[in-house]
Amino acid sequence: MARRAVALTPDWTGWLAAALAAAGFLAPMGAVLWQAGQLWPTASDWSALRFTLCQAVISTVLSIALAVPVARALARRAFPGRGLLVTLLGAPFLLPVLVAVLGLLAVFGRSGVLNEVLRLSGLPTVSIYGLQGVVLAHVFFNLPLATRIILQGWQAIPAERFRVAEGLGFGPWAMARHLEWPMLRQVVPGAALLIFSLCLTSFAVALILGGGPKATTLELAIYQAFRFDFAPGRAAVLAVMQLALVGAAGLLALRFAGDVTGAAARGRVVQRWDLGTWGWDALLIGAAAVFLLAPLVAVVLKGAPEVVELPAAVWKAAGVSISVALAATVLTMALTTAIGLLAFRVPKLELVVLPGIALSPLVLGTGLFLLLYPVIAPDRVALAVTVMANTLAALPFALRLVLPHLRQAVADHGALAESLGIGPRVWLGRVLWPQVRRPFRFAAGLTAALSMGDLGVIALFADPDRATLPLQVMRLMGSYRTDDAAGAALVLLILSLGIFWIIDRGGRDA
Amino acid sequence: MLELERVLVVYPDYRLRATLKVPTGAHVAVVGPSGAGKSTFLAAIAGFETSEGRVLWDRQDLSGTRPGARPFSMLFQDNNLFPHLTAFENVALGISPSLRLTAAEKARVEAALARVGLTGFEARKPAQLSGGQQGRVAIARVLVQGRALILLDEPFAALGPALRAEMLELVRSTARESGATVLLVTHDLAEAARMPLMILVANGAAEPPADSAALLANPPEALKGWMG
């Protein structure tokens, strides 16, 4: 292996970054375990565990069950706008949870479009709160994700195999049995476990649509233990339960891990001869598009008139959020670079972020709170802690996106660069960077967007004076200032998608 | 007899026309520069490629019928087998996609596997077979299909030259037994030279089959460039 040219940074920077990341994950985990000590869960803790599992199972099953036919329709049919729709399926990944929930409330809420229609037709109205609301929101987020992953599976079936099948005179049943079912058996377990893990750790959805003894998740129960009861011991016990649950699901998901971004789903439609009429396919694609777009359109329509008259606090919060997002992005990419530049000489170095898969945002928050509480009033460092939490949340993603490309670039060109005696500047600027630019900027954009929309740790540490935009939206909702909340949500949506677009775009040019 | 009447395949950047006849039982190599449309020519006969004009088999017009309803078996470069099915099942698909076979049909599958030298390998899946054995399974399936036309699109490309020649000889000897017509797309001149007839695809047209020896002795411009 080419050593001199390839070694851009001294080894200690990589080791330091790896140690910082490991400490960032392990210290809060240790604090939680220590605090929980001998305490034992109460009946309501167990009920939170049951609800967490129950909603996650239902959400996963529904997301997958709906995604399979939608992905099938998208895999079979070519139509104008298909590429755009597949791109849009990636949007919920970047969407701030609060924005989506506000959109869902506008469509399915008490005075939402659906209930207005039901009222006018003299039918009983439906409630979005409780289990059904939590499941609805989780399906909204995960149906598109599942669709992209499964669509990718469909498109990975070699085109020749469809020709062989047609040559053998396969009907729809033989097609399903010999081509589609074997693919689903490979792709669905990984997708399901990923979605299950995401549903276990989602916080903002349960915060707004759940609650009460019947619909409290572990994540929400941790928050309530802090905010309402101020019982760190109880929060720690809940956190340990969540840690075990999420860790187990994460390890299981890791075994099936595939490409979670579904980025390859944009290939062209394979030519097939067994299609028949559009019928169901059109209905499925149309329904999925409406389900996905209606809440987003609602956010834009409700928010647009309010934006000009938003209170100053909202703009201040927007400024705070931009700073937090940029800080988290710089920190994440700095750690990714330092670890990455060492990781192609130290195999498996990226395993230092493995503990991260067990840490849900509120468990991380609990741990950090327990660590800081004896030293400093947590609300005084709320923003710094938020930056740190967002960094730790994004780091595993960023490493997974960037590292394979970095390793590939070194494997392909390292020896050649060394033999040519290329200096570090040329090596970095002309060889390495052009090859990792796209995934690097994509990872940075993702980090910025997720950080911008994050409502997790900040809710726990809430500082009355310095709120991030998601927290500000939540406060406006809590005080029933619905119009201002709608306007602020639109600003949040624009900022999240905008920051992703600006950072990622540079990676696509040239 | 296979007849192509004023067949025309149109792409944004190129067209391919063909008017020609291939006698029943002939073994024909389809040759020409890469990118000239050899595979497109084969796909137009199979119906995988939409084309104008008429494709006839024994005077019966196939134009407009879907590939599954045309009387051919086809082998591709790769992915001829279904990875989740055993060798037996992969061959059995040639008789029934539902894999429900009568005892007589099962015997036919076993006989075909025996013919290609794979007795005892029935229960193996493609991943447990060598490249050559996978090719043999695909040939056994062509055998049980018993179609009158065998289309080969650069088959067994993953195999070495010697093994590929062996596979091809196996296909041709089974075709001789059944009287099937064979069309082979290849980029390998030595492989093509072993076929008695050649269809040259170049400059947007597929020429009628010509005697291979004569063609190679006095090659036209397009073939010269290809021969290097």
Side-chain angles (χ1 to χ4, degrees), chain A residues 433-473:
Chain A
W433 176 243
Q435 299 202 46
V436 298
R437 182 179 54 198
R438 273 188 77 148
F440 190 91
R441 295 189 73 137
F442 180 75
L446 207 59
T447 304
L450 294 180
S451 172
M452 184 77 79
D454 175 57
L455 179 67
V457 174
I458 187 71
L460 214 55
F461 282 64
D463 167 353
D465 303 325
R466 275 162 303 179
T468 61
L469 192 48
L471 186 62
Q472 189 65 35
V473 173

Side-chain angles (χ1 to χ4, degrees), chain A residues 26-37 236 240 366-371:
Chain A
L26 294 175
M29 226 183 257
V32 164
L33 289 168
W34 175 264
Q35 178 76 30
V240 171
T366 307
L368 292 173
F369 189 98
L370 293 172
L371 287 172

Side-chain angles (χ1 to χ4, degrees), chain A residues 158-171 174 177-179 182 185 271 273-275, chain B residues 43 47-48 66-68 72 76 78-85 93-94 97-99 141 145 147:
Chain A
E160 293 103 324
R161 204 158 279 150
F162 283 102
R163 292 187 167 199
V164 170
E166 172 62 16
L168 292 168
F170 279 16
R177 179 174 164 195
H178 299 310
L179 280 112
R185 238 177 12 200
Q271 198 184 357
W273 296 268
D274 60 322
L275 289 182
Chain B
F48 291 128
R66 59 186 272 185
F72 70 89
F76 299 93
D78 222 333
N79 294 312
N80 288 301
L81 302 182
F82 293 91
H84 66 292
L85 298 180
L93 285 176
S98 72
L99 295 179
R141 188 170 66 210
Q145 283 185 279
R147 299 281 171 87

